[in-house]
Coordinates of all heavy atoms in Angstrom, one line a residue:
Chain A
K895 N -11.1 119.6 -20.6 CA -10.8 119.7 -22.0 C -12.2 119.6 -22.8 O -12.4 120.4 -23.7 CB -9.9 118.6 -22.5 CG -8.5 119.0 -22.5 CD -7.7 117.9 -23.2 CE -6.2 118.0 -22.8 NZ -5.5 116.8 -23.1
L896 N -13.0 118.7 -22.4 CA -14.3 118.5 -23.1 C -15.1 119.7 -22.9 O -15.8 120.2 -23.9 CB -15.0 117.2 -22.5 CG -16.4 117.0 -23.0 CD1 -16.3 116.4 -24.4 CD2 -17.1 116.0 -22.1
D897 N -15.1 120.3 -21.7 CA -15.9 121.5 -21.4 C -15.5 122.6 -22.3 O -16.3 123.3 -22.9 CB -15.8 121.8 -20.0 CG -16.8 122.9 -19.6 OD1 -18.0 122.6 -19.6 OD2 -16.4 124.0 -19.2
K898 N -14.2 122.8 -22.5 CA -13.7 123.9 -23.3 C -14.1 123.7 -24.7 O -14.6 124.6 -25.4 CB -12.2 123.9 -23.1 CG -11.5 125.2 -23.5 CD -10.0 125.2 -23.3 CE -9.4 126.3 -24.0 NZ -7.9 126.2 -23.9
T899 N -14.0 122.5 -25.2 CA -14.3 122.2 -26.6 C -15.8 122.4 -26.9 O -16.1 123.1 -27.9 CB -14.0 120.7 -27.0 OG1 -12.7 120.4 -26.4 CG2 -14.0 120.4 -28.4
L900 N -16.6 121.9 -26.1 CA -18.0 122.0 -26.3 C -18.5 123.4 -26.1 O -19.4 123.9 -26.9 CB -18.8 121.0 -25.4 CG -18.7 119.6 -25.8 CD1 -19.7 118.7 -25.0 CD2 -18.9 119.3 -27.3
R901 N -18.0 124.1 -25.2 CA -18.4 125.6 -25.0 C -18.0 126.3 -26.2 O -18.8 127.2 -26.7 CB -17.7 126.2 -23.8 CG -18.5 126.0 -22.6 CD -17.8 126.6 -21.3 NE -18.4 125.9 -20.2 CZ -19.7 126.2 -19.8 NH1 -20.4 127.2 -20.3 NH2 -20.2 125.6 -18.7
H902 N -16.9 126.0 -26.8 CA -16.4 126.7 -28.0 C -17.4 126.3 -29.2 O -17.8 127.2 -30.0 CB -15.0 126.3 -28.3 CG -14.4 127.0 -29.5 ND1 -14.1 128.3 -29.4 CD2 -14.1 126.6 -30.7 CE1 -13.7 128.7 -30.6 NE2 -13.7 127.7 -31.4
A903 N -17.8 125.0 -29.2 CA -18.6 124.6 -30.3 C -20.0 125.2 -30.3 O -20.5 125.5 -31.4 CB -18.8 123.0 -30.2
V904 N -20.5 125.5 -29.1 CA -21.9 126.1 -29.1 C -21.7 127.6 -29.1 O -22.7 128.3 -29.0 CB -22.8 125.7 -28.0 CG1 -23.1 124.2 -28.1 CG2 -22.1 126.0 -26.6
A905 N -20.5 128.1 -29.2 CA -20.2 129.5 -29.2 C -20.9 130.2 -27.9 O -21.6 131.2 -28.1 CB -20.7 130.2 -30.4
A906 N -20.8 129.5 -26.8 CA -21.3 130.1 -25.6 C -20.6 131.4 -25.3 O -19.4 131.5 -25.5 CB -21.1 129.1 -24.4
P907 N -21.4 132.4 -24.8 CA -20.7 133.7 -24.5 C -19.5 133.5 -23.5 O -19.5 132.7 -22.6 CB -21.8 134.5 -23.8 CG -23.1 133.9 -24.3 CD -22.8 132.5 -24.5
D908 N -18.5 134.3 -23.8 CA -17.2 134.1 -23.1 C -17.5 134.6 -21.6 O -18.0 135.6 -21.4 CB -16.2 135.1 -23.7 CG -14.8 134.7 -23.3 OD1 -14.6 134.4 -22.2 OD2 -13.9 134.8 -24.2
V909 N -17.1 133.7 -20.7 CA -17.3 134.1 -19.3 C -16.1 134.8 -18.8 O -16.1 135.4 -17.7 CB -17.6 132.9 -18.4 CG1 -18.9 132.3 -18.6 CG2 -16.5 131.8 -18.5
N910 N -15.0 134.9 -19.5 CA -13.8 135.5 -19.1 C -13.9 137.1 -19.2 O -13.2 137.8 -18.5 CB -12.6 135.0 -19.8 CG -12.1 133.7 -19.1 OD1 -12.3 133.5 -17.9 ND2 -11.7 132.8 -20.0
H911 N -14.6 137.5 -20.2 CA -14.8 138.9 -20.5 C -16.2 139.3 -20.3 O -17.0 139.1 -21.1 CB -14.3 139.3 -21.9 CG -12.9 138.9 -22.2 ND1 -11.8 139.7 -21.9 CD2 -12.5 137.8 -22.8 CE1 -10.8 139.0 -22.3 NE2 -11.1 137.9 -22.8
V912 N -16.5 139.9 -19.2 CA -17.9 140.4 -18.9 C -17.9 141.8 -18.3 O -16.9 142.3 -17.9 CB -18.7 139.4 -18.0 CG1 -18.8 138.0 -18.5 CG2 -18.1 139.4 -16.6
F913 N -19.1 142.4 -18.4 CA -19.2 143.7 -17.8 C -20.4 143.5 -16.8 O -21.4 143.0 -17.1 CB -19.6 144.7 -18.8 CG -18.6 144.9 -19.9 CD1 -18.5 144.1 -21.0 CD2 -17.6 145.9 -19.7 CE1 -17.5 144.3 -21.9 CE2 -16.6 146.1 -20.6 CZ -16.5 145.2 -21.7
M914 N -20.1 144.0 -15.6 CA -21.1 143.8 -14.5 C -21.6 145.1 -14.0 O -20.8 146.0 -13.6 CB -20.5 143.0 -13.4 CG -21.5 142.7 -12.3 SD -20.7 141.9 -10.8 CE -20.7 140.2 -11.3

Side-chain angles (χ1 to χ4, degrees):
Chain A
K895 267 188 200 162
L896 176 72
D897 190 61
K898 199 175 166 188
T899 313
L900 289 188
R901 271 181 199 284
H902 185 70
V904 295
D908 199 321
V909 289
N910 281 324
H911 302 277
V912 300
F913 297 86
M914 183 188 275

